[in-house]
Amino acid sequence: MLSLRPPCTLSPAPWRRRRTLHGAAGTPQRVSAAAPSAIVEAVSPPARLSFPILVNGCTGKMGLSVAEAVTSSGLHLVPISFSSRDTLDRTVRVGHTDVRIYGPSAREDVLSSVIDEFPDVVVVDYTAPDSVNANAELYCKLGLPFVMGTTGGDRQLLYKSVQDSNNYALISPQMGKQVVAFLAAMEIMAEQFPGAFSGYHLEVLESHQAGKLDISGTAKAVIACFEKLGVSYDMNRMVKIRDPEQQLEMVGVPEEHIEGHAFHLYHLTSPDDSVSFEFQHNVCGRSIYAEGSVDAAMFLHRKVRSNDSKRIYDMIDVLREGSMR
């Protein structure tokens, strides 16, 4: 039976081999992932939009990937972004657009000017965990609709800032379309079958590029679903791998994606060790998140334009409305 161990002894096999879920007697069981048909209805693709998007965080790899996805989608990339350092004075080339980078002290004045020139702008934020709340407070103060792709920060305060300001925002720990569908399925299962895994033991391993400072927001969301299903879990037990050598040798991350990947493994074992389940989702590169972030901005723009009464959304809302391209 598979057992996850600390990174120093973790076998590469759990990540690389194909999985089979087993029943009590070790007999392979067929598992259907079909969600109830009433949950997500088929929706015709939305009409093509054209509106400006400001990507905050173009100096980082994720922000730059989103900016590239904006231009490739035919949307207007506002040629402005921000850095956490006031001493940084530079431009970043994205397609045919030169994006000017401003320091944090200029944020409010520059964003006010952006609103004057682009009143229907939507901000997509991929900055840093310690910037989440300050950035959100400013967006709310200025009435800027925003997509928060950055994980970390004080999430309760983040939601409160949006609620108190009545601003529009889409907040999600995960922007990848297919991973969002997996999260939606987990939430459906947790809602419809609470306590189904009572007594089961959960072990979680996640691996990301060394530059990711916080614990995976996706892992936290999945763990929350397992807790509703009756599993007790201590976040301090999560195995978090950031060392490139361990990622190559023990996790099996392709070398070309060491600087941009997201591998997750959740392993459940019954109290008597006779039954085990595993859920795994591995992502190489950033394009899945960049494309999903553009979908999120398009969705939010439509909600603002229609003056929708709901103000806070997540990527499952995007998925349910059929707003993925």
Side-chain angles (χ1 to χ4, degrees):
M1 179 172 293
L2 174 67
S3 175
L4 293 181
R5 297 183 294 276
C8 58
T9 57
L10 181 66
S11 165
W15 294 88
R16 292 174 176 161
R17 69 168 180 265
R18 182 170 297 182
R19 282 168 169 60
T20 303
L21 302 182
H22 291 79
T27 306
Q29 305 292 310
R30 291 186 177 274
V31 178
S32 173
S37 58
I39 300 299
V40 181
E41 298 179 359
V43 179
S44 300
R48 187 169 181 82
L49 296 176
S50 179
F51 66 98
I53 295 178
L54 187 154
V55 179
N56 189 4
C58 282
T59 56
K61 293 179 180 178
M62 189 64 241
L64 183 58
S65 295
V66 174
E68 291 169 346
V70 169
T71 59
S72 64
S73 299
L75 298 171
H76 176 62
L77 177 66
V78 176
I80 288 170
S81 188
F82 300 93
S83 167
S84 60
R85 291 180 294 159
D86 273 316
T87 56
L88 186 67
D89 184 14
R90 58 176 288 201
T91 59
V92 175
R93 186 76 170 176
V94 181
H96 299 292
T97 303
D98 288 322
V99 178
R100 173 73 185 275
I101 309 299
Y102 290 88
S105 62
R107 287 183 313 159
E108 185 166 350
D109 289 341
V110 173
L111 283 175
S112 296
S113 298
V114 168
I115 294 170
D116 290 340
E117 186 173 355
F118 306 104
D120 57 343
V121 67
V122 173
V123 175
V124 178
D125 188 294
Y126 277 100
T127 52
D130 59 2
S131 300
V132 166
N133 296 108
N135 287 347
E137 288 282 357
L138 181 57
Y139 304 149
C140 291
K141 177 182 178 181
L142 298 176
L144 273 172
F146 68 92
V147 174
M148 182 57 73
T150 312
T151 56
D154 185 330
R155 305 310 273 191
Q156 289 186 338
L157 178 59
L158 171 60
Y159 283 99
K160 186 177 186 301
S161 297
V162 180
Q163 290 168 347
D164 290 348
S165 66
N166 206 32
N167 194 28
Y168 283 94
L170 191 150
I171 303 168
S172 180
Q174 173 59 246
M175 293 292 177
K177 305 174 188 180
Q178 292 73 26
V179 182
V180 168
F182 169 68
L183 284 172
M186 287 295 302
E187 292 197 1
I188 292 166
M189 182 167 65
E191 180 181 346
Q192 296 189 2
F193 308 109
F197 284 89
S198 293
Y200 271 67
H201 178 71
L202 173 64
E203 296 184 76
V204 181
L205 188 153
E206 60 100 335
S207 173
H208 289 76
Q209 62 277 0
K212 182 171 177 59
L213 304 177
D214 57 328
I215 294 175
S216 166
T218 303
K220 290 180 179 178
V222 173
I223 289 168
C225 291
F226 281 127
E227 288 176 333
K228 293 177 184 177
L229 288 163
V231 177
S232 178
Y233 188 75
D234 179 358
M235 286 288 184
N236 293 322
R237 295 180 54 247
M238 187 185 304
V239 179
K240 184 177 77 170
I241 298 181
R242 297 292 184 269
D243 179 71
E245 186 174 340
Q246 292 178 336
Q247 290 168 342
L248 284 170
E249 297 179 359
M250 295 184 291
V251 181
V253 179
E255 186 171 2
E256 63 271 26
H257 293 297
I258 286 294
E259 295 186 1
H261 71 278
F263 280 30
H264 299 76
L265 177 66
Y266 315 89
H267 181 74
L268 289 155
T269 309
S270 64
D272 62 357
D273 290 334
S274 64
V275 182
S276 66
F277 291 84
E278 287 182 7
F279 300 81
Q280 181 178 0
H281 50 95
N282 298 342
V283 175
C284 293
R286 297 179 173 85
S287 61
I288 184 174
Y289 309 120
E291 293 169 5
S293 298
V294 173
D295 288 334
M298 295 171 69
F299 169 90
L300 192 61
H301 175 73
R302 283 191 290 270
K303 294 301 179 183
V304 174
R305 193 171 60 176
S306 66
N307 197 29
D308 198 289
S309 59
K310 183 176 178 178
R311 297 303 172 107
I312 303 178
Y313 304 90
D314 59 24
M315 285 298 283
I316 293 177
D317 292 317
V318 182
L319 185 66
R320 283 179 174 147
E321 194 162 296
S323 296
M324 299 291 197
R325 290 168 296 138

